[in-house]
């Protein structure tokens, strides 16, 4: 099934419109060990997504037994440009691996394809207008322990469309319960802060004019160094 089961507390479901309730908070719920990949340090993933809305209502979206949220926390960002945030998560099928999915208060509205086989994961970088075209892109590292490839998808006309790839980068190591780096905006083009494939150098990667460009910020020194790299230079 495409959409997760939705339990609403007194809420009529429908598309977002002016004056409609907006998502103000998103959390994972229903911890489960039905998918034992353990890429984030333990065998516990999540079977439900709980959305809290600006009108005080709560929605609980429950996945079927064949899927889990294999992620650290949901991310809020306005993906479709309507002024209200959507929720971006890593959702995994127990046979087909991970995908990046976008939810609103009606359920899952868009997603990348599943990687294709179990125990294969993707690690989000960030969400924003990466190339200045007025549309929102979503970036992640595909299989950060294997393929080590940045993939960019653009949200347009209600769907995610693949834009471009750049091999040779990563942002996660097996067993870590965090993702290294992210997206920063320091006045110019948004920069994806990642690490080279050998975990030696911190890289700032931009995507402008349909092309990737990367520059070295400094040596990789661990989690604190990656957090510092997300701050804009003074």
């Amino acid at each position: 099934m495409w959409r997760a089961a939705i339990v609403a507390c007194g809420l009529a479901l429908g598309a977002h419109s002016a004056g409609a309730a907006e998502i103000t908070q998103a959390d994972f719920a229903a911890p489960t060990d039905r998918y034992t990949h353990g890429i984030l340090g333990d065998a516990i993933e999540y079977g439900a997504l709980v959305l809290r809305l600006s009108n005080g209502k709560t929605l609980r979206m429950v996945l079927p037994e064949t899927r889990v949220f294999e992620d650290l926390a949901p991310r809020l960002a306005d993906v479709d440009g309507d002024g209200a945030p959507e929720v971006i998560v890593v959702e995994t099928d127990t046979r087909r691996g991970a995908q990046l999915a976008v939810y609103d208060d009606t359920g899952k509205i868009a997603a990348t394809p599943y990687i294709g086989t179990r125990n294969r994961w993707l690690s989000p970088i960030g969400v924003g207008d990466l190339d200045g075209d007025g549309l929102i892109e979503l970036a992640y590292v595909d299989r950060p322990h294997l393929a080590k490839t940045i993939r960019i998808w653009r949200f347009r006309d209600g769907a995610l469309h693949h834009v471009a790839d750049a091999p040779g980068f990563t942002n996660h190591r097996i067993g870590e319960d965090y993702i290294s780096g992210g997206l920063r905006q320091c006045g110019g083009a948004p920069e994806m802060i990642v690490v080279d494939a050998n975990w030696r150098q911190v890289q700032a990667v931009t995507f402008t004019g349909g092309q990737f460009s990367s520059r070295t910020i400094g040596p990789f020194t661990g989690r604190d160094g990656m957090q510092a790299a997300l701050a804009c230079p003074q």
Side-chain angles (χ1 to χ4, degrees):
M1 64 186 280
W2 175 245
R3 294 188 183 274
I6 302 175
V7 178
C9 300
L11 179 66
L13 302 181
H16 178 78
S17 59
E22 298 181 3
I23 299 169
T24 59
Q25 183 178 334
D27 300 285
F28 292 132
T32 177
D33 62 358
R34 65 180 179 244
Y35 183 66
T36 56
H37 189 195
I39 204 70
L40 292 167
D42 60 38
I44 302 301
E45 308 304 342
Y46 300 93
L49 177 66
V50 177
L51 305 183
R52 292 172 174 82
L53 307 183
S54 57
N55 61 4
K57 303 294 185 180
T58 298
L59 293 175
R60 184 181 180 93
M61 302 186 177
V62 181
L63 292 177
E65 289 293 313
T66 56
R67 301 210 301 267
V68 297
F69 293 113
E70 192 179 13
D71 205 348
L72 297 167
R75 302 152 192 82
L76 295 183
D78 182 7
V79 172
D80 60 8
D82 69 351
E86 284 74 43
V87 181
I88 300 93
V89 295
V90 179
E91 184 173 326
T92 296
D93 183 274
T94 56
R95 293 180 294 107
R96 294 177 289 173
Q99 65 175 192
L100 196 66
V102 181
Y103 279 76
D104 67 8
D105 59 356
T106 70
K108 185 161 63 173
I109 61 171
T112 65
Y114 292 107
I115 290 172
T117 188
R118 68 178 284 112
N119 293 346
R120 295 295 182 266
W121 186 67
L122 61 85
S123 184
I125 299 172
V127 180
D129 183 2
L130 299 182
D131 58 358
D133 66 350
L135 298 173
I136 296 298
E137 285 80 38
L138 294 81
Y140 62 80
V141 178
D142 179 9
R143 291 160 289 172
H145 326 108
L146 295 171
K148 300 182 179 180
T149 297
I150 294 175
R151 299 198 193 280
I152 293 178
W153 295 73
R154 181 176 293 124
F155 187 88
R156 187 183 71 246
D157 300 327
L160 290 174
H161 302 266
H162 180 241
V163 177
D165 300 331
F169 302 98
T170 187
N171 63 350
H172 183 265
R173 292 184 288 197
I174 293 173
E176 291 180 338
D177 62 353
Y178 59 91
I179 293 170
S180 294
L183 190 67
R184 76 179 189 183
Q185 176 74 57
C186 297
E191 295 178 304
M192 295 171 275
I193 305 302
V194 291
V195 189
D196 71 275
N198 296 316
W199 286 95
R200 294 174 181 167
Q201 303 291 333
V202 180
Q203 301 287 314
V205 181
T206 57
F207 181 71
T208 56
Q211 300 293 322
F212 287 94
S213 178
S214 65
R215 63 184 179 86
T216 299
I217 294 178
F220 174 73
T221 59
R223 186 177 186 178
D224 290 345
M226 292 300 289
Q227 283 299 112
L230 288 172
C232 296
Q234 299 298 314

